[in-house]
Amino acid sequence: MSITSPHLGSPSNEWTDARLLYALEEVVETELNRHLKVTKDWMPHEYVPWSDGRNFPGFFEDGEAWEKGQSKVTEVGRIALVVNLLTEDNLPSYHHEIATLFGRDGAWGTWVHRWTAEEGRHGIVMRDYLLASRAVDPDKLEQFRMAHMGEGFESDNRHSMLHTVAYVAFQELATRVSHRNTGHHSGDPVCDRMLARIATDENLHMIFYRNLLKAAFEFAPDLTMQAVRDVVVDFRMPGHGMPGFERAAAQMAIGEVYNMRIHHDDVLAPVIRFLKIMEIDGLGPEGMKAQEELGLYMGGLDAEASKFDEKLAARKARMAARAGA
């Protein structure tokens, strides 16, 4: 999909992925330099309660089998931690996707590798925490990892660099929110502190892609509007293919780690509002149509989220009544 660019003058000139990559290179370099100035390196091992660790059964005669009661992490925290870690485990596939779309040269390539290196810390520290604190069944965690990665991963937006930029602008924020809320609901201050550190990285990644998306709107507003519409309407978290994801997502929704209300209020709306996407004018017919459809979708999602809020409140009331009986 491409449109005639009003910035290039000639009607024969149309935006393609290759031309947009070139046009955005300077923006990528600026954002990369900004990111490197504000980001802070951190050591994953410093966030892990190593003194809580002990041997598991297997090669060690003194190995102790895992049981739920060995960890202070709540049930919803345990579920969310597994989902979040399995999502992080697919980093090799994510790297392949963006390296293929963005390239490995120049500022784009430097960002691809830097992002991958920073994301790598997340999986390292989460797995070390989970094993040292015995927050999850280690055998099931490894079985899930093998099954999830064995299936492979293909992004819904692998066909388009612009769709990918739009997707990650929202997805990085969604990941930040999921990690942060998991920490809040984990019941363990150590876990909360670790996930807060991860969430800080995810927020900086979101800012990088959000600013890149802003530049894309300046270059190719109609194309970018269509990409945002497509991504928002068909949005799925990258871990959707993992074993038991639908059930885990439902439990995370009820546990208020991540649900429709959070997705609307804390992920989609902030990016749309910051970039003033619904206020962009001067669009062509396709861009205007995409903008209108985006607005209608957001309105519908807000209404659906309100229905979910009512059901969740009713559920809480029933549970409170049972507890007081």
Side-chain angles (χ1 to χ4, degrees):
M1 181 169 59
S2 60
I3 61 170
T4 301
S5 168
H7 298 275
L8 299 179
S10 170
S12 63
N13 287 324
E14 295 182 338
W15 285 115
T16 62
D17 271 7
R19 297 190 70 241
L20 273 170
L21 279 169
Y22 180 79
L24 291 169
E25 177 89 22
E26 187 174 339
V27 181
V28 172
E29 184 174 4
T30 298
E31 289 302 312
L32 173 62
N33 290 334
R34 180 198 56 75
H35 177 83
L36 294 175
K37 286 180 181 178
V38 300
T39 192
K40 294 181 180 179
D41 281 340
W42 53 281
M43 301 298 122
H45 57 268
E46 295 179 356
Y47 289 81
V48 179
W50 298 107
S51 60
D52 291 348
R54 49 201 186 276
N55 293 335
F56 288 102
F59 292 106
F60 299 100
E61 293 182 2
D62 62 344
E64 183 180 350
W66 178 84
E67 294 179 4
K68 279 187 178 182
Q70 295 167 346
S71 169
K72 64 183 72 173
V73 170
T74 62
E75 183 63 19
V76 69
R78 194 185 333 274
I79 292 166
L81 280 163
V82 171
V83 169
N84 291 350
L85 176 56
L86 291 180
T87 300
E88 299 286 356
D89 276 335
N90 254 336
L91 181 61
S93 289
Y94 308 149
H95 174 85
H96 173 75
E97 292 271 346
I98 64 171
T100 301
L101 285 165
F102 297 160
R104 299 168 184 263
D105 301 320
W108 279 106
T110 302
W111 168 254
V112 166
H113 296 303
R114 175 71 193 196
W115 175 88
T116 302
E118 290 183 7
E119 287 286 342
R121 289 188 180 123
H122 303 168
I124 291 170
V125 71
M126 289 181 68
R127 175 167 281 100
D128 286 347
Y129 165 80
L130 293 179
L131 296 180
S133 68
R134 293 186 168 238
V136 301
D137 183 334
D139 292 345
K140 287 186 178 179
L141 183 64
E142 179 60 11
Q143 291 163 6
F144 284 160
R145 187 189 70 83
M146 288 295 293
H148 187 38
M149 295 189 71
E151 286 293 319
F153 172 82
E154 287 189 339
S155 167
D156 295 333
N157 303 288
R158 62 189 179 279
H159 63 288
S160 162
M161 180 277 294
L162 189 54
H163 279 69
T164 298
V165 169
Y167 175 74
V168 290
F170 294 102
Q171 184 268 322
E172 291 283 4
L173 182 53
T175 304
R176 174 203 177 275
V177 169
S178 181
H179 282 311
R180 201 67 194 94
N181 288 344
T182 298
H184 289 329
H185 292 284
S186 68
D188 181 7
V190 175
C191 179
D192 191 23
R193 184 166 59 248
M194 171 195 66
L195 291 176
R197 177 57 259 191
I198 293 175
T200 298
D201 280 0
E202 303 290 9
N203 196 59
L204 290 175
H205 297 164
M206 178 277 293
I207 292 172
F208 178 95
Y209 287 120
R210 186 189 65 189
N211 291 351
L212 202 56
L213 186 60
K214 179 181 179 181
F217 267 113
E218 295 171 359
F219 281 109
D222 288 85
L223 254 186
T224 306
M225 186 66 73
Q226 292 172 72
V228 169
R229 183 268 321 273
D230 294 345
V231 162
V232 169
V233 170
D234 296 325
F235 187 89
R236 295 196 295 176
M237 291 294 274
H240 60 81
M242 68 181 60
F245 178 77
E246 290 185 1
R247 182 169 182 217
Q251 291 170 305
M252 289 168 67
I254 293 171
E256 298 182 89
V257 171
Y258 201 95
N259 55 40
M260 280 192 289
R261 175 52 63 200
I262 293 170
H263 184 59
H264 178 278
D265 290 1
D266 299 338
V267 177
L268 299 182
V271 175
I272 291 172
R273 184 170 54 248
F274 182 88
L275 296 179
K276 300 180 180 179
I277 290 175
M278 302 310 299
E279 300 170 28
I280 294 175
D281 55 16
L283 296 167
E286 289 300 315
M288 291 177 63
K289 178 184 176 185
Q291 188 181 48
E292 180 181 357
E293 290 174 349
L294 177 62
L296 290 171
Y297 177 81
M298 289 296 292
L301 180 62
D302 186 38
E304 287 298 312
S306 294
K307 293 178 183 177
F308 176 84
D309 291 342
E310 293 173 2
K311 292 180 180 178
L312 188 59
R315 182 179 185 276
K316 288 181 179 179
R318 289 195 302 270
M319 293 181 67
R322 289 172 188 168

